């Protein structure tokens, strides 16, 4: 039993690490075919992500929303669902954050900031919970419904930002009215090495920590994992499977909605097209690399946030498009899915034994 536990723990580290190494190798071949040195590309990738204090600041800022959007995939996955609608929850969260001041007057203090963030989280939670409800009540595949709901959410976002909520002062780039200064989220420690890193990073870390504690140390978290393992058996023992699944979807969507609200309150200051940057889709990759474990999400988000931060450096130094890091993410996703085929088999692989020679005496007796 102890050996099996050790093997499972080793596989949880070796398989994602091997998949990422294979993705980096494939990306090196890709840029080499375009006439760029793979060694120089790999060096710039990591130096642009972690090479100095400015790189770390950029990486941490990009990692913060990835932690939250990854939870939008990880929590439903622990309930047995494959939900990929974090992008839709994120953009609606941004819309909710920017739109709440249109509806009610808000105090320009911490309470007001908490209210706009809560509005984004609630809107994201309701949107992804809808995919869970469709799955449990109508049998609609959650992967397809959550993806289609993302497209609907983006369309709604563009309609309101470019229509009823558009700020007349935003000419070339349609945006909502900027959030009041008192509603915005500032930097954690602007006079330290963290620089402009905002409080969204702390929110992401706390959300991952809380989700892990809930899943591993509470009765409802254990019940959710039982439902994810076998929903029919969970119902037979009296667990409220439908309610747990919808709750997991709502919590995950709330995290993605919070990510969108943070993007508005801390980065963009208004809802505009810059929010639709694919952070929800990158969160899918982060969750799969972390094997849907909330405690493994922060380091993985940090890695992919660093790769995204290094994209501009690759463009300046090597002439590669800034979006070339998306190719690296694509390779990583393919190899991660391929590595899952080895789950539970990595240490079961054995080389065939060579047949031992059999010596037979003259009278037919076996002597070796």
């Amino acid at each position: 039993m102890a050996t099996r536990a050790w093997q499972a723990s080793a596989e949880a580290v070796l398989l994602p690490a091997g998949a990422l190494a294979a993705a980096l190798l494939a990306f090196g071949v890709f840029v080499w075919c375009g006439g760029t040195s793979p060694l120089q590309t790999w060096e710039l990738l990591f130096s642009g992500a972690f090479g100095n204090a400015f790189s770390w600041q950029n990486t941490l800022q990009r990692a913060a929303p990835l932690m939250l959007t990854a939870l939008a995939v990880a929590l439903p996955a622990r309930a047995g669902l494959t939900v990929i609608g974090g992008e839709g929850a994120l953009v609606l969260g941004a819309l909710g954050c920017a739109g709440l001041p249109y509806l009610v007057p808000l105090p320009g203090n911490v309470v007001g900031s908490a209210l706009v963030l809560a509005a984004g989280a609630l809107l994201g939670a309701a949107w992804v919970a809808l995919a869970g409800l469709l799955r449990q009540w109508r049998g609609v595949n959650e992967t397809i419904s959550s993806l289609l709901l993302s497209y609907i959410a983006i369309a709604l976002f563009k309609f309101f930002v470019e229509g009823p909520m558009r700020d007349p002062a935003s000419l070339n780039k349609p945006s909502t009215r900027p959030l009041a200064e008192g509603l915005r989220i500032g930097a954690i420690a602007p006079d330290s090495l963290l620089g402009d890193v905002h409080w969204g990073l702390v929110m992401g870390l706390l959300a991952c920590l809380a989700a892990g504690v809930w899943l591993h140390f509470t009765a409802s978290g254990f019940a959710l994992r039982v439902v994810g393992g076998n929903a029919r058996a969970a119902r037979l023992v009296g667990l409220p499977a439908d309610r747990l699944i919808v709750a997991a979807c709502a919590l995950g969507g709330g995290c993605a909605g919070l990510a969108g609200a943070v993007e508005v309150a801390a980065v963009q200051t208004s809802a505009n097209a810059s929010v639709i940057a694919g952070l929800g889709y990158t969160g899918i990759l982060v969750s799969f690399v972390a094997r849907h474990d909330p405690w493994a999400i922060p380091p993985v988000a940090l890695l992919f946030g660093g790769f995204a931060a290094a994209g501009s450096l690759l463009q300046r130094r090597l002439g590669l498009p800034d979006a070339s890091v998306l190719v690296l993410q694509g390779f990583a996703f393919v190899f991660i899915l391929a590595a899952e085929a080895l789950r539970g088999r990595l240490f079961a692989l054995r080389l065939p034994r060579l047949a031992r020679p059999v010596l037979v005496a003259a009278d037919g007796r076996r002597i070796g």
Side-chain angles (χ1 to χ4, degrees):
M1 186 64 70
T3 301
R4 288 185 178 180
W6 177 86
Q7 290 178 352
S9 300
E11 283 184 347
V13 175
L14 292 177
L15 290 179
L20 290 175
L24 286 170
L25 181 61
F27 185 63
V29 174
F30 172 77
V31 298
W32 176 74
C33 291
T36 303
S37 168
L39 293 177
Q40 193 174 7
T41 302
W42 294 329
E43 179 185 357
L44 289 176
L45 265 177
F46 286 95
S47 62
F50 312 110
N52 51 46
F54 177 78
S55 298
W56 272 100
Q57 292 173 20
N58 200 0
T59 295
L60 291 172
Q61 284 183 324
R62 291 173 182 266
L66 295 182
M67 297 178 195
L68 294 168
T69 55
L71 287 174
V73 181
L75 293 178
R78 301 310 291 263
L81 273 64
T82 304
V83 172
I84 57 174
E87 184 76 3
L90 182 144
V91 298
L92 287 184
L95 188 65
C97 175
L100 187 62
Y102 283 74
L103 302 177
V104 293
L106 297 172
N109 52 27
V110 176
V111 175
S113 298
L115 288 174
V116 293
L117 293 176
L122 288 174
L123 202 54
W127 198 250
V128 179
L130 180 57
L133 289 171
L134 290 172
R135 169 67 173 80
Q136 296 307 113
W137 290 356
R138 306 300 300 173
V140 179
N141 182 277
E142 74 280 358
T143 306
I144 297 174
S145 65
S146 60
L147 181 61
L148 295 180
L149 283 170
S150 289
Y151 293 137
I152 296 172
I154 292 171
L156 289 172
F157 178 88
K158 291 181 177 179
F159 170 77
F160 283 103
V161 170
E162 298 176 7
M165 294 172 58
R166 179 170 180 172
D167 181 9
S170 60
L171 301 178
N172 297 327
K173 187 177 184 179
S175 303
T176 60
R177 291 199 302 263
L179 282 182
E181 187 70 31
L183 300 179
R184 300 176 189 175
I185 303 174
I188 300 173
D191 297 328
S192 68
L193 291 177
L194 290 176
D196 295 331
V197 179
H198 51 72
W199 284 97
L201 177 67
V202 176
M203 296 178 194
L205 291 171
L206 289 177
C208 291
L209 176 63
V213 170
W214 174 56
L215 286 173
H216 295 291
F217 297 104
T218 66
S220 58
F222 175 74
L224 180 72
R225 290 187 286 125
V226 172
V227 170
N230 191 322
R232 180 175 296 181
R235 290 188 180 93
L236 289 175
V237 298
L239 293 178
D242 293 342
R243 191 168 62 200
L244 287 169
I245 288 173
V246 174
C249 291
L251 288 172
C255 290
L258 178 60
V262 168
E263 283 296 297
V264 170
V267 181
Q268 306 295 338
T269 72
S270 65
N272 53 62
S274 297
V275 174
I276 312 173
L279 294 173
Y281 299 126
T282 306
I284 300 171
L285 174 59
V286 172
S287 180
F288 271 85
V289 174
R291 272 205 94 218
H292 311 307
D293 185 345
W295 288 346
I297 284 175
V300 178
L302 188 68
L303 179 64
F304 282 95
F307 288 160
S312 58
L313 186 62
L314 293 179
Q315 186 176 36
R316 293 195 307 269
R317 297 282 185 86
L318 302 179
L320 294 172
D322 187 16
S324 60
V325 292
L326 297 179
V327 178
L328 174 59
Q329 292 180 8
F331 281 133
F333 195 61
V334 170
F335 284 111
I336 283 294
L337 293 179
E340 286 299 312
L342 295 175
R343 185 75 57 182
R345 304 180 185 178
L346 187 61
F347 294 97
L349 298 177
R350 294 288 187 271
L351 293 176
R353 286 187 175 183
L354 296 177
R356 294 179 60 185
V358 178
L359 300 179
V360 181
D363 59 359
R365 289 183 300 106
R366 179 174 174 175
I367 60 175

